[in-house]
Amino acid sequence: MIITGVAMTSCNKILNPASPNEVSPNNVFTSTAGLLEARTGMYATLEAKNYYGGVYPLLAECYTDNGTCGGYNSIDLNDIIYRAVQTTNLYVDGMYTAMYNSIYTANTILANADKVPNTDPAIISNTKGEAYFVRALAEFDLLRMYGEHWNTGSAYGISIDTSNANPTTPIARSTVAASYAQIISDLNQAAGLINTYNGNMYASVSSANALLARVYMYMGNKANASAMATAVINDNNFALYNSATFTGIYKQKSTQESVFELVFDPQNQSFYNILTYVRADATLSDVDFVASANLDTFFINRPGDLRNQLVDFDPNDNDASILPNGRTQKYRGETTKDNSAYAIRLAEIYLVRAEALGRSGGGLKDLNTLRSNRGLGNLSNSDVPNDAAFLNAVLDERRAELNFEGHRLFDLARTGNVENVLGTGVQSIMPIPQREIIAGNGIVAQNPGY
């Protein structure tokens, strides 16, 4: 597979020159097989340890009230524990690099796919559509982690990279509005080009629509968020698991609950088990990303919510040194370490539509649909007497459903709740890595407060 070739080239426009292991596009894109190998390499970049292989979603949880960090006196983990992240933090640097590596690889495919000889146009179209999706996913993940995504009037968006022509030339940051426009354009391109459903392990029209629903919700465009979410919910390829079966989401591969899932195997392992569980008698120093006592209290106050069994705070199950914190049970797999990355799940899309429709627009029905499939009774209008109460109910449901899947920090940031929940002065986004600032000679602006 062209994983040490196309996928492991220069990571972005600023950091690194081309890798000495790079395989020239002139050698890769000479046959259909080469194009499809490049496609495989593109998905492999999403599976990197610092991206959906583990760190990206877990850091977005353990910087918040859902989690904390263990490890063995690690400066970089301590930054996250105390929510005082430094510009030299290795996790922050690694995520940034990994995401731009995915963008670089997608750009390589987009620049060369049409040149592949003797290839079915449908294959070329589908592969390009997938590349647009991967690029949009990485762009949006960069915006969520490093940009002021909650404010479309902000100057602090991302460095938009759509060409590999000058890989060492730094790119100034675009506005948040321009960043969103780029992401939406890429997703619309993806939806228009993808012509085959190859399962939820690959980008599809529905995964593009699902990501659009998420993006529009972050922007506050509720009408479009609802419309895109409805398109996904109406796709018969997907279905919610019920209260008796929902734990299977985390034990089986590529279930109907997943709209887009990165599936690992024993030969291609993810890092989730190593980062969140390790073994039954692991201590706090063994586990990097740990569930917080606050999350335990949250579930204690939700009697009947069966999702509490996916977070273990039982002292009989954990070594005493890891308490009063616990561990997520979503990524066990101690033997095979092939835990999936649940990038987009149908449950989230129901919650997006619930939030978009609102209390008076029918959102309560979607909220109750998910609750009933997780062991809870329905909420009535009197339980959520106003819009603020309804939004809090949605956020609580998102916390119960999506904890340790990479949403909590972004939910708090986009709703203006970071300081309310995490404390005064806590930053809502990570800093641009210091080496990025230095390598770009200051062309890439640092986030305020760093």
Side-chain angles (χ1 to χ4, degrees):
M1 295 181 186
I2 313 299
I3 293 175
T4 58
V6 174
M8 294 303 291
T9 55
S10 60
C11 295
N12 59 36
K13 290 253 180 209
I14 304 164
L15 291 177
N16 301 317
S19 162
N21 295 321
E22 179 178 351
V23 176
S24 168
N26 293 331
N27 296 325
V28 175
F29 297 101
T30 57
S31 66
T32 301
L35 175 63
L36 295 179
E37 286 175 345
R39 169 182 179 254
T40 299
M42 177 179 67
Y43 284 105
T45 67
L46 297 177
E47 296 177 345
K49 177 182 179 179
N50 286 313
Y51 199 8
Y52 281 103
V55 170
Y56 179 83
L58 295 176
L59 188 147
E61 299 291 332
C62 293
Y63 183 83
T64 76
D65 52 341
N66 275 355
T68 184
C69 295
Y72 186 74
N73 196 29
S74 164
I75 293 173
D76 299 286
L77 288 174
N78 287 343
D79 277 359
I80 300 166
I81 292 172
Y82 298 114
R83 302 182 185 118
V85 176
Q86 305 299 308
T87 60
T88 55
N89 185 281
L90 293 178
Y91 294 99
V92 168
D93 193 304
M95 291 186 300
Y96 195 89
T97 301
M99 284 181 266
Y100 271 110
N101 191 34
S102 292
I103 290 173
Y104 184 97
T105 309
N107 285 347
T108 302
I109 290 174
L110 290 170
N112 291 280
D114 287 326
K115 303 174 186 177
V116 180
N118 304 316
T119 299
D120 185 340
I123 293 177
I124 292 176
S125 177
N126 201 71
T127 305
K128 288 173 63 178
E130 292 177 79
Y132 276 115
F133 172 84
V134 168
R135 189 168 77 181
L137 179 66
E139 290 165 342
F140 186 51
D141 288 342
L142 281 162
L143 183 61
R144 295 196 295 173
M145 188 65 80
Y146 300 97
E148 294 186 342
H149 55 86
W150 58 88
N151 178 10
T152 55
S154 170
Y156 296 99
I158 64 172
S159 296
I160 297 174
D161 180 0
T162 59
S163 171
N164 297 339
N166 299 295
T168 59
T169 301
I171 300 175
R173 297 174 72 172
S174 293
T175 64
V176 171
S179 300
Y180 273 123
Q182 176 63 43
I183 294 162
I184 291 168
S185 174
D186 279 352
L187 288 172
N188 284 328
Q189 290 265 42
L193 288 168
I194 294 173
N195 51 60
T196 305
Y197 181 70
N198 290 313
N200 55 20
M201 297 176 288
Y202 299 93
S204 65
V205 172
S206 281
S207 61
N209 287 337
L211 188 52
L212 275 169
R214 184 192 288 175
V215 169
Y216 282 128
M217 193 68 255
Y218 274 61
M219 293 177 67
N221 188 330
K222 295 182 178 181
N224 282 352
S226 174
M228 293 297 100
T230 297
V232 178
I233 290 168
N234 289 343
D235 186 334
N236 291 330
N237 287 302
F238 313 114
L240 284 176
Y241 274 29
N242 62 35
S243 58
T245 60
F246 79 95
T247 56
I249 298 166
Y250 307 100
K251 298 175 182 177
Q252 302 158 10
K253 298 291 186 184
S254 189
T255 71
Q256 284 186 295
E257 271 263 2
S258 280
V259 179
F260 182 59
E261 176 177 328
L262 292 167
V263 176
F264 295 80
D265 58 54
Q267 288 72 47
N268 176 36
Q269 298 177 343
S270 72
F271 288 84
Y272 286 101
N273 174 271
I274 294 171
L275 294 172
T276 67
Y277 194 84
V278 184
R279 61 182 184 277
D281 63 347
T283 65
L284 186 60
S285 62
D286 295 317
V287 182
D288 285 356
F289 295 106
V290 182
S292 70
N294 188 289
L295 186 60
D296 185 28
T297 300
F298 171 78
F299 275 115
I300 288 171
N301 292 326
R302 291 172 66 86
D305 193 334
L306 297 175
R307 290 166 294 197
N308 66 0
Q309 62 192 280
L310 294 172
V311 190
D312 184 12
F313 292 93
D314 188 340
N316 295 320
D317 295 335
N318 296 332
D319 186 286
S321 64
I322 206 170
L323 298 175
N325 302 300
R327 284 179 287 179
T328 178
Q329 301 292 295
K330 291 182 175 180
Y331 309 107
R332 290 289 295 269
E334 297 96 306
T335 303
T336 56
K337 298 180 176 62
D338 60 344
N339 318 91
S340 291
Y342 309 103
I344 307 175
R345 286 202 297 110
L346 186 62
E348 180 204 350
I349 305 307
Y350 270 95
L351 291 170
V352 166
R353 191 170 72 172
E355 185 176 346
L357 291 175
R359 177 180 179 274
S360 60
L364 191 56
K365 180 180 178 182
D366 281 335
L367 195 61
N368 284 332
T369 294
L370 183 59
R371 286 172 60 88
S372 65
N373 280 279
R374 302 299 189 251
L376 294 173
N378 288 345
L379 296 175
S380 66
N381 285 328
S382 60
D383 292 319
V384 284
N386 52 51
D387 290 342
F390 179 77
L391 177 59
N392 286 335
V394 171
L395 293 176
D396 281 350
E397 208 61 36
R398 289 180 64 89
R399 189 181 187 191
E401 180 70 26
L402 302 172
N403 63 82
F404 279 82
E405 296 180 42
H407 295 271
R408 184 61 174 169
L409 172 58
F410 312 131
D411 283 345
L412 294 177
R414 69 184 178 83
T415 58
N417 280 308
V418 167
E419 290 197 340
N420 295 338
V421 174
L422 304 182
T424 302
V426 173
Q427 287 277 12
S428 300
I429 49 176
M430 297 298 110
I432 303 297
Q434 185 61 29
R435 71 169 181 165
E436 188 82 358
I437 304 295
I438 294 172
N441 294 317
I443 289 177
V444 180
Q446 183 57 273
N447 287 320
Y450 286 107

